[in-house]
Amino acid sequence: MAKLFDLMQDRARVTESIRAFMDKFDSAEMGAEDKAQLAKMEAEFDGLNGKIMAEQKQLDRERLMGEESDKGAPQAKNAVREMFAKALSGDPQHMTAYKNELKLTTDAAAGYLTAPVEFVQDLIKGLDDILFMRQISKVVGPIGAAQSLGFPVRTTGAADATWVSEITTAPEEATVQYGRREFKPNKMAKLIKMSRTLIQHAPMAEGVVLEEMRLRIANGAENAYLNGNGTAQPLGIFVANANGINTDRDVSTGNTDTTVTFDGLQEAKYALKQQYQRNASWVMHRDLCKMIAKIKDGEGQYAWQGSMVAGQPDRLLGHPVYMSEFAPNTYTTGKYAAVIGDFKNGYWICDADGVNVQVLRELYAPTNQIGYIVDYFGDGAPVLPEAFARVKLT
C-alpha cells in the first residue's frame, strides 16, 4: 500500500509539473525543445499511471488470496467443496470420488467437474472485486436454469401529474410505455494451463485455480461490457444500438475531430438529467485521461482532480473516472471517446449460476501441466439510454 501511495504522489507531482509547464505557453508558440520536454513529462506520467494500475491489480490479487487463506483449514470446509479442491489436482482417485458424490458418472460428463455452489459464489464475488463495471452497475439474477430472463424496462416516461379542482376527474395516463429486456446465459470459456507441481504442492490449490479463473474471466467480461455487440455476448456502452445506448445519446458539441474539449465535457455532463448526475461516473481510456488532465476552464482551473487516496478513482467535473484498457483510444473523426452515466440504474449485469470446470489431467502431461477449461455464463446490457451520454468527436 505504501508503494501505491508513493506512486500516486509521484503522479500528482508530474501532473502539476505538466500544468505549470503548459501555463507558460498560454499565449506563446511552443518550440521544438519545449515540445520534447513536454513529451518527456507526458511519458513519465504514462509510466507512473501504468505502474499505479498494475500495483492496484496486484493488491487486489493479494487481498483476494488472503481472503481465501483466512477461511480456515480444509477440514473446516464443506465436505463437497473439500472434495472439489482435491479433484482440481487432477488425481484420478479424487476426481472419481467427487464425480461419484455428484453422480457425474455418465460418459458425457467424464472428466468434467461441476463446481459446488460455494466455489461459484467465491468466483462471482471475486469478479465483483476486480471488475469496476460490476461495482458501479446493477447486478441482477442469477438466471438459473432458464434460457432467458426478462425484466420490464420503461421505454417512454409518463406525463407529470397536473393540478385539478376537487371534483374534476384525474387525467388518464396515456404516454407511459414499458418494454422487456431479455438477458441470456451467454457462454464465455477459457482454457487455463497450470504447473502440475504448483497445483500438487500449493497449500490451497483451489485458491490458486480460482484466482486465475477470476482474472481471465474479468478481462473478457470487461471488454464485453464496453464493446460487446449483444450477439451471444453482452451489449457494450461504446456500441451504438437501438437496444442499448442509441445515437441520440451521442454528444459531440464543443469537441473537435481529434480532441475532447472542456466545453465538450460540459456538454456531455449536462446532457444527463439531474437524477442521473448524482451517481454518474466516467469511463474512458488512460490516454484520454492524460489529454483531459491538461484541460482548464475559463478561469484557469483544471477540470481533472487526481486522487490522492489509494483505491479511490480520480474525478472529472465532480464525478469519478474509471479507466479501462478496453475503452476507445483512437481519437479521430466520428469516434467515441468516453461515456458518462448512472450505471447503477442504467446498466444491468446478469449472472447465470452455472460454472463448469473440466480438468484435463493427461493432455498436457508431457509439459508437466494440468489444463482447466472454465465456462462462465452471464449477460449485460444498458437498460436506460437516458441515463448515459457518450462523448463523440466531430
Side-chain angles (χ1 to χ4, degrees), residues 285-311:
H285 194 276
R286 59 187 169 84
D287 289 347
L288 184 60
C289 293
K290 179 177 68 173
M291 181 189 301
I292 293 174
K294 308 171 189 176
I295 295 178
K296 293 186 291 186
D297 62 19
E299 298 180 354
Q301 300 297 317
Y302 285 90
W304 187 267
Q305 298 170 287
S307 174
M308 296 295 291
V309 180

Side-chain angles (χ1 to χ4, degrees), residues 2 10 103 154 156 201 275 304 323 328 335:
D10 289 342
K103 297 181 173 58
R154 188 185 67 203
T156 304
H201 293 84
Q275 60 264 37
W304 187 267
M323 289 184 284
K335 297 291 187 180

Side-chain angles (χ1 to χ4, degrees), residues 1 4-5 8 56 59 307-313:
M1 188 66 71
L4 179 59
F5 179 77
M8 296 181 78
Q56 287 175 330
L59 288 173
S307 174
M308 296 295 291
V309 180
Q312 294 297 314

Side-chain angles (χ1 to χ4, degrees), residues 301-357:
Q301 300 297 317
Y302 285 90
W304 187 267
Q305 298 170 287
S307 174
M308 296 295 291
V309 180
Q312 294 297 314
D314 298 326
R315 302 184 75 86
L316 173 62
L317 299 180
H319 301 285
V321 179
Y322 292 91
M323 289 184 284
S324 172
E325 292 299 296
F326 299 107
N329 66 337
T330 301
Y331 307 117
T332 57
T333 301
K335 297 291 187 180
Y336 292 131
V339 168
I340 182 173
D342 180 352
F343 287 82
K344 189 64 69 175
N345 286 303
Y347 196 95
W348 289 9
I349 295 171
C350 191
D351 294 316
D353 61 359
V355 175
N356 296 322
V357 179

